[in-house]
Amino acid sequence: MLSNATPTYLTGFGGHFATEAVPGALPQGRNSPQRPAFGLYTEQVSGSAFTAPRHENKRSWLYRMRPTADHRPFTRYAGAPRFTADSATEPLAPNRLRWDPLPAAPEGTDFVDGLVTMVANRDPAHLEGVAVHLYSANRDMERRVFVDADGELLIVPQGGRLDILSELGRLEIGPGQIALVPRGIRFRVRLPEGRATGYLVENYGAPFRLPDLGPIGANGLANPRDFETPVAWFEDRDEPFEVIQKYLGSLWTTTLDHSPLDVVAWHGNLAPWRYDLSRFNTIGTVSFDHPDPSIFTVLTSPSETPGRANVDFVIFPPRWMVGEDTFRPPWFHRNVMSECMGLISGDYDAKAEGFAPGGLSLHNMMSGHGPDVESWRKASEAELKPVKIEGTLAFMVESCWPFRVTAEALGRAQSDYDLAWADFPKAKLP
């Protein structure tokens, strides 16, 4: 199948799919026949322990032109100098931090080499935690693929479209959409518009799932049918291909004599997907007070403590604000969770200035934060009539673990961010 064909999708979050790019490639009634069709190789890729409960068990059976096991030893990869960088060695102060967007990448930088690690927590070997990276790229990944053995990858474009070619099919996404590539799945990225910027959320822990809805009921937030998984697609290319693998926080490389994106058919429930954030059914108050941001959760990765997320992916999309006698922006708060926020487009309603699309902010656990002075003043004096927040899309990566900041990120942090909360007037008591 040609790589420039328009991708086709199957719908449903976490569904069990069966798809083939060549009729007859997918075996019927069994997973591992003695002689798969066309001389294909059978391979299972597992995203969970074999004995995980059925409702949490994730795996797919692949029928490919060559086995993944056929490769030479990996050696250290010398590229991507700002990806998987070590955290700053000095103790991290409990300060609020904020960053401007990345400067444009040097010409000839692809998706992998354009990744910059900003914040991370936990060790990937512990199978819990999360890292947040930025990317800036201006060149297609050609004859090279990337695979992350440390975690699943949630890709959040901010500028420019991405064509993601994976072992299990093709995904096209742009700003306002997200895509997930499971742990251990190989892929490469092409740039239809020539350049792209955005965010990459690397989840080391339990795979992202849709949050429970509780008293909301059966419907609302992200609906399962709006998630799209690609149909089978493959490359038949006998030429050198580099495989770059992230493993225990470091990057490794080896070279194959063929494209590893050669899966002709597959079935299972471990697969990439994409989701349009405009499909999110936003829930909010219709009386008074500002609900906490849990109602904006798109995806969650639970920890071993019920109700305490390893990672939550939360968005702040266009929405109506109607609360009576209510301070409508996010209130001032300190939180046992740690919050890393990015801005995809527009202005964030709790910060009047200094937070630009493509930028990032960090409020670690128990750090006091909330609206800046100008946003507080406008919200305190506003006429309380129904108002629709439009032209903006922000997101938050929330984790129960405190984030550590890379030396690269610490050196680029805005020096005046704390001034966002300077000069609040003192309350006047009677």
Side-chain angles (χ1 to χ4, degrees), residues 66-83:
R66 296 173 181 82
T68 302
D70 181 10
H71 67 79
R72 304 288 78 77
F74 282 89
T75 57
R76 288 299 294 268
Y77 179 63
R82 299 186 292 173
F83 183 38

Side-chain angles (χ1 to χ4, degrees), residues 50-103:
F50 294 146
T51 54
R54 181 181 289 266
H55 68 281
E56 294 183 354
N57 206 301
K58 291 189 153 310
R59 87 288 178 266
S60 288
W61 286 91
L62 317 182
Y63 304 91
R64 58 192 316 143
M65 298 175 71
R66 296 173 181 82
T68 302
D70 181 10
H71 67 79
R72 304 288 78 77
F74 282 89
T75 57
R76 288 299 294 268
Y77 179 63
R82 299 186 292 173
F83 183 38
T84 72
D86 293 332
S87 298
T89 55
E90 294 297 318
L92 182 64
N95 292 331
R96 291 75 51 101
L97 296 170
R98 188 167 67 184
W99 293 271
D100 294 324
L102 283 179

